[in-house]
Amino acid sequence: MSDVNPLIASLKGKLIVSVQAYMGEPLRRPEIMASMARACELGGAAAIRCQGLSDISAIKGRVEVPVIGLWKEGHEGVYITPTARHARACAAAGADIVAIDATDRPRPDGRTVEDTLCALKEEGALTMADCMTIDDIRRAAALGFDLVSTTLSHGAAAIDCTMADGPDLELLRQATSEFPDLPVVCEGRVHTPAEAAAAIEAGAWSVVVGTAITHPTSITSWFADAIA
């Protein structure tokens, strides 16, 4: 625990809110995302996770809490901060922590996740590993990521998950059992306060909630479907 960066330590037991809008949606403007992020900060968010250089920059200018930045390019394979170029750009835009896909799948630039991490570490950036499996988490731990996350364990974008889907507590428990001192973040399909609390009880360092707080189209559809 003593080796944990103070910024990472400040997130222990706290809520991180993912503030993102999808392509073509009416809220997909940096100034709107920045206002959303500020509202979440006022509500108790300990950090904001966001994507895209414009959003990172706008949000960093509006909030006082740490910003976890990523850059999505494409929709399949490795598309979350897929290369060192994307990662460096996120840091330059103001991200306090840079999140990257930490799976072993092929990357657009042909480099490995280790290559990408090394490039960031050389510049002193804090890093978050978005993982799909326990093997991804093991690799990320061995490589020295500052945070690891269950972001990709559900295998689908948050917008495609229903309220009935829940967080991957099984993977979370396995990871925290194997790596009791590693900051393991629960992210993906956390739709209720009870699920967020359950994730913390299962050992999560922090919990990321996105859709259930910052995606009104999905939230509205849950209510509309329930009434129907």
Side-chain angles (χ1 to χ4, degrees):
M1 188 75 69
S2 60
D3 294 332
V4 175
N5 180 279
L7 189 152
I8 303 297
S10 73
L11 302 179
K12 185 172 176 59
K14 301 293 181 62
L15 172 68
I16 299 169
V17 177
S18 179
V19 180
Q20 300 182 43
Y22 296 90
M23 188 70 71
E25 292 186 336
L27 300 186
R28 193 179 170 91
R29 294 209 301 271
E31 62 272 20
I32 293 177
M33 292 292 96
S35 294
M36 182 87 76
R38 175 58 179 156
C40 292
E41 180 184 28
L42 292 175
I48 301 296
R49 179 173 160 117
C50 57
Q51 90 83 25
L53 304 184
S54 296
D55 284 8
I56 293 170
S57 179
I59 289 171
K60 183 64 178 176
R62 287 292 302 276
V63 303
E64 297 180 3
V65 296
V67 172
I68 302 171
L70 57 129
W71 180 357
K72 292 180 180 176
E73 187 161 88
H75 303 283
E76 297 180 353
V78 176
Y79 63 89
I80 296 177
T81 323
T83 71
R85 175 178 66 84
H86 292 82
R88 288 192 182 100
C90 289
D96 300 289
I97 302 170
V98 178
I100 69 174
D101 182 309
T103 67
D104 63 354
R105 296 176 295 178
R107 294 167 194 278
D109 61 358
R111 304 178 75 183
T112 66
V113 63
E114 182 175 9
D115 293 334
T116 304
L117 178 64
C118 286
L120 281 174
K121 288 294 187 183
E122 288 174 359
E123 299 178 11
L126 294 175
T127 54
M128 181 175 190
D130 286 356
C131 300
M132 184 179 297
T133 67
I134 189 62
D135 286 336
D136 294 336
I137 292 173
R138 290 168 180 154
R139 183 186 312 106
L143 291 176
F145 277 89
D146 298 290
L147 285 166
V148 301
S149 175
T150 61
T151 308
L152 300 171
S153 67
H154 45 79
I159 195 172
D160 296 323
C161 297
T162 70
M163 194 169 181
D165 299 321
D168 194 342
L169 297 183
E170 182 178 352
L171 176 60
L172 175 65
R173 291 191 183 98
Q174 185 176 2
T176 55
S177 176
E178 287 193 26
F179 304 100
D181 296 324
L182 178 67
V184 180
V185 176
C186 179
E187 179 173 6
R189 301 183 297 187
V190 182
H191 292 147
T192 68
E195 288 177 344
I200 293 294
E201 290 172 5
W205 187 270
S206 309
V207 179
V208 177
V209 180
T211 301
I213 295 176
T214 61
H215 197 253
T217 302
S218 292
I219 299 168
T220 303
S221 72
W222 296 342
F223 282 88
D225 290 346
I227 291 173

